Amino acid sequence: MNLDFTFYNPTRVHFGRNALEHLPEELAQYGSRVLLVYGKGAIKRIGLYDKVIEILKEGGKTVVELSGVKSNPTYTQMMEGVRLVRENKIDLILAVGGGSVVDCAKGISLSAHCKGDPWQRYWINFEEVDNEIVPVGCVLTMAGTGSEMNGGSVITNEEQQIKGGRTYPSNINPKFSILNPEYTFSVPKEQMVSGIFDTMSHLMEQYFTGEDDNTTDYLIEGVMESLIHSARIALQDPQDYEARSNLMWCATLALNTITRLSKAQDWEVHMIEHQLGAYTDCPHGAGLAVLSVPYYRYIYKDGLKKFVRFATKVWGIDAHSGSEEQIALAGLDALGDFIRELGLPTTLRELGTTEEMLPRIANSAVKGGGYRQLDETDILQILKACF
Ligand code: NZQ
Ligand code: ZN
């Protein structure tokens, strides 16, 4: 653990089949005016909306609703939520849905009392958050992003064609998150696998940096192992409670900052994917699935030892089966096989990308980089390899 760190995560998690029983005690800690944020209807179809409304009514809450939050939530929708918070003097924002709903709720929470233009201040300039935060609570219905236990809020500004966000200070983390794996049973297969790969990508973004002997890397390998194992079971039987509960907790662990402690971190695949999303509106995990193998093939020589470790420890490649380069590449082949096994797309064309979008995506993606610092030309080459 060579890099210093401070660890603090203020989200209280209630996990399991009866987790919703904790909602009344959580709600009791806040004032009476609640903004209920949700998506396009899944929570109504699974009967969760009625249950939550009943609990809110029993708790004496006045409920204002922001519904129809779309996947890859937009700044326009978020600002509609800001208006509702201001007009109704909201005490608590309750997000019921997937990562998009939770991110939208956190964006509203951050922006409602912002002095000045929130987009410019918090999503472009990454300024320090100096205003009051409206508390957020979460009832999660889809596993993948980890938004239920972190300070991330990824928002798309449609006018500017920028999808952006960062980890904001932990006071925008949900104050509480209710995680019942049974709510994820109804998630369509293409969304389930998108969430699984999002989790895998979060783990890889943190894993593929550094060469030191870091406990966090061992932890990440363990979470990857559980994720891959449970994904295979859930593919066969989406109603398998144990598999879905493992997938849900893997997703939370992958981005609740535990798996980044003392790590430099990469996040380049995410930076490219966010711009891909801004241009195509593709499911986040599907975009990551297309980009990952070509990106890692492009940079693996700069972190060769770690890619060998990934191949042998995560994918069980025989450490004596070839040169270091051959083993590292066999690990990336295994990652590609897993992507196909999940039924995820493997080309940008499948996501609706056109050739003329590629340079614009390459130019607008934020350049970070773990083992190698990339420029526009590098990113364009990677995008062409994915096309
Ligand atoms: O709109 P509804 O009706 O709710 O349907 C959703 C949506 O169509 C559906 N769904 C959710 N729960 C369901 C369900 N359908 C049936 N049964 C259920 N129980 O699934 C679809 C996708 O939902 P969405 O919330 O968009 O998916 P996800 O959780 O993958 O969130 C994606 C967003 O999170 C951002 C992504 O960029 C993207 O905008 N991310 C947020 C992060 C964070 N806050 O830390 C990190 C990630 O890297 C990511 O960038
Ligand atoms: Zn992600």
Side-chain angles (χ1 to χ4, degrees), residues 108-169:
I108 297 167
S109 128
L110 189 64
S111 307
H113 301 296
C114 170
K115 294 168 198 72
D117 174 4
W119 178 256
Q120 197 58 38
R121 289 198 58 197
Y122 296 148
W123 277 268
I124 299 293
N125 299 347
F126 287 176
E127 284 179 35
E128 214 168 288
V129 179
D130 59 4
N131 52 263
E132 184 196 330
I133 297 292
V134 184
V136 172
C138 157
V139 181
L140 192 69
T141 63
M142 156 151 181
T145 65
S147 187
E148 63 277 12
M149 203 179 175
N150 69 35
S153 173
V154 180
I155 302 293
T156 299
N157 186 316
E158 320 97 288
E159 261 175 43
Q160 298 181 8
Q161 283 199 308
I162 297 175
K163 180 175 178 180
R166 64 166 165 145
T167 302
Y168 295 95

Side-chain angles (χ1 to χ4, degrees), residues 216-254:
T216 300
D217 284 329
Y218 294 88
L219 187 65
I220 293 174
E221 286 158 358
V223 181
M224 283 178 176
E225 196 183 333
S226 172
L227 180 81
I228 295 162
H229 172 74
S230 298
R232 287 177 171 148
I233 296 171
L235 273 180
Q236 297 305 316
D237 180 7
Q239 312 284 314
D240 185 307
Y241 179 82
E242 194 156 40
R244 296 310 284 265
S245 68
N246 287 339
L247 292 175
M248 198 172 211
W249 190 235
C250 284
T252 307
L253 285 175

Side-chain angles (χ1 to χ4, degrees), residues 141-195:
T141 63
M142 156 151 181
T145 65
S147 187
E148 63 277 12
M149 203 179 175
N150 69 35
S153 173
V154 180
I155 302 293
T156 299
N157 186 316
E158 320 97 288
E159 261 175 43
Q160 298 181 8
Q161 283 199 308
I162 297 175
K163 180 175 178 180
R166 64 166 165 145
T167 302
Y168 295 95
S170 55
N171 59 353
I172 86 148
N173 275 40
K175 302 291 175 220
F176 62 88
S177 276
I178 289 171
L179 274 55
N180 180 344
E182 287 175 345
Y183 299 155
T184 69
F185 285 178
S186 55
V187 172
K189 187 197 160 211
E190 65 274 15
Q191 293 293 344
M192 177 184 85
V193 295
S194 173

Side-chain angles (χ1 to χ4, degrees), residues 3-125:
L3 302 178
D4 296 0
F5 64 86
T6 299
F7 175 66
Y8 172 63
N9 192 314
T11 304
R12 187 165 38 246
V13 174
H14 303 286
F15 191 97
R17 293 182 176 92
N18 301 310
L20 197 65
E21 288 175 5
H22 293 278
L23 186 56
E25 83 212 23
E26 291 291 356
L27 292 175
Q29 298 180 39
Y30 303 93
S32 64
R33 290 172 299 264
V34 175
L35 177 68
L36 177 65
V37 183
Y38 57 98
K40 297 203 167 192
I43 69 160
K44 291 194 171 167
R45 289 195 296 279
I46 64 173
L48 182 57
Y49 173 84
D50 289 342
K51 284 185 195 160
V52 169
I53 287 287
E54 196 184 322
I55 294 170
L56 286 163
K57 291 268 154 67
E58 278 171 5
K61 306 293 181 185
T62 304
V63 182
V64 177
E65 298 192 8
L66 175 68
S67 62
V69 172
K70 67 178 280 301
S71 283
N72 303 322
T74 63
Y75 187 59
T76 308
Q77 277 187 318
M78 191 198 91
M79 289 310 283
E80 171 61 9
V82 164
R83 186 184 67 76
L84 292 173
V85 167
R86 288 176 181 162
E87 278 182 16
N88 297 284
K89 300 192 170 37
I90 291 296
D91 300 304
L92 174 75
I93 304 170
L94 184 62
V96 184
S100 294
V101 168
V102 185
D103 276 14
C104 183
K106 285 191 272 181
I108 297 167
S109 128
L110 189 64
S111 307
H113 301 296
C114 170
K115 294 168 198 72
D117 174 4
W119 178 256
Q120 197 58 38
R121 289 198 58 197
Y122 296 148
W123 277 268
I124 299 293
N125 299 347

Side-chain angles (χ1 to χ4, degrees), residues 126-386:
F126 287 176
E127 284 179 35
E128 214 168 288
V129 179
D130 59 4
N131 52 263
E132 184 196 330
I133 297 292
V134 184
V136 172
C138 157
V139 181
L140 192 69
T141 63
M142 156 151 181
T145 65
S147 187
E148 63 277 12
M149 203 179 175
N150 69 35
S153 173
V154 180
I155 302 293
T156 299
N157 186 316
E158 320 97 288
E159 261 175 43
Q160 298 181 8
Q161 283 199 308
I162 297 175
K163 180 175 178 180
R166 64 166 165 145
T167 302
Y168 295 95
S170 55
N171 59 353
I172 86 148
N173 275 40
K175 302 291 175 220
F176 62 88
S177 276
I178 289 171
L179 274 55
N180 180 344
E182 287 175 345
Y183 299 155
T184 69
F185 285 178
S186 55
V187 172
K189 187 197 160 211
E190 65 274 15
Q191 293 293 344
M192 177 184 85
V193 295
S194 173
I196 291 168
F197 199 77
D198 191 18
T199 303
M200 185 70 188
S201 178
H202 295 159
L203 295 166
M204 293 191 293
E205 298 271 26
Q206 296 164 106
Y207 184 73
F208 288 122
T209 53
E211 303 285 1
D212 48 343
D213 188 17
N214 186 333
T215 298
T216 300
D217 284 329
Y218 294 88
L219 187 65
I220 293 174
E221 286 158 358
V223 181
M224 283 178 176
E225 196 183 333
S226 172
L227 180 81
I228 295 162
H229 172 74
S230 298
R232 287 177 171 148
I233 296 171
L235 273 180
Q236 297 305 316
D237 180 7
Q239 312 284 314
D240 185 307
Y241 179 82
E242 194 156 40
R244 296 310 284 265
S245 68
N246 287 339
L247 292 175
M248 198 172 211
W249 190 235
C250 284
T252 307
L253 285 175
L255 207 56
N256 72 351
T257 71
I258 283 271
T259 44
R260 74 169 53 164
L261 299 180
S262 201
K263 295 288 301 177
Q265 308 166 57
D266 185 345
W267 298 110
E268 189 60 60
V269 178
H270 268 67
M271 294 304 110
I272 304 172
E273 195 291 325
H274 283 168
Q275 277 319 95
L276 178 63
Y279 280 87
T280 64
D281 204 23
C282 65
H284 173 61
L288 297 168
V290 170
L291 294 166
S292 291
V293 175
Y295 171 72
Y296 291 125
R297 279 182 169 275
Y298 196 80
I299 62 140
Y300 79 99
K301 287 184 188 161
D302 297 273
L304 190 57
K305 290 213 176 320
K306 197 55 160 290
F307 283 92
V308 169
R309 179 170 163 172
F310 178 68
T312 55
K313 288 208 162 186
V314 178
W315 299 109
I317 308 288
D318 180 355
H320 306 289
S321 57
S323 67
E324 285 192 326
E325 283 198 17
Q326 285 167 331
I327 293 167
L329 287 172
L332 294 179
D333 286 346
L335 176 65
D337 291 343
F338 181 59
I339 290 168
R340 279 184 289 278
E341 190 181 338
L342 291 175
L344 281 160
T346 53
T347 64
L348 288 177
R349 282 173 212 268
E350 292 166 77
L351 300 176
T353 319
T354 61
E355 213 160 354
E356 61 88 29
M357 283 179 191
L358 302 185
R360 290 194 278 149
I361 295 171
N363 288 339
S364 59
V366 176
K367 282 89 197 160
Y371 287 123
R372 196 196 303 186
Q373 189 74 33
L374 303 186
D375 60 22
E376 280 90 6
T377 319
D378 295 313
I379 297 178
L380 188 56
Q381 260 183 271
I382 293 165
L383 288 170
K384 283 183 176 165
C386 304

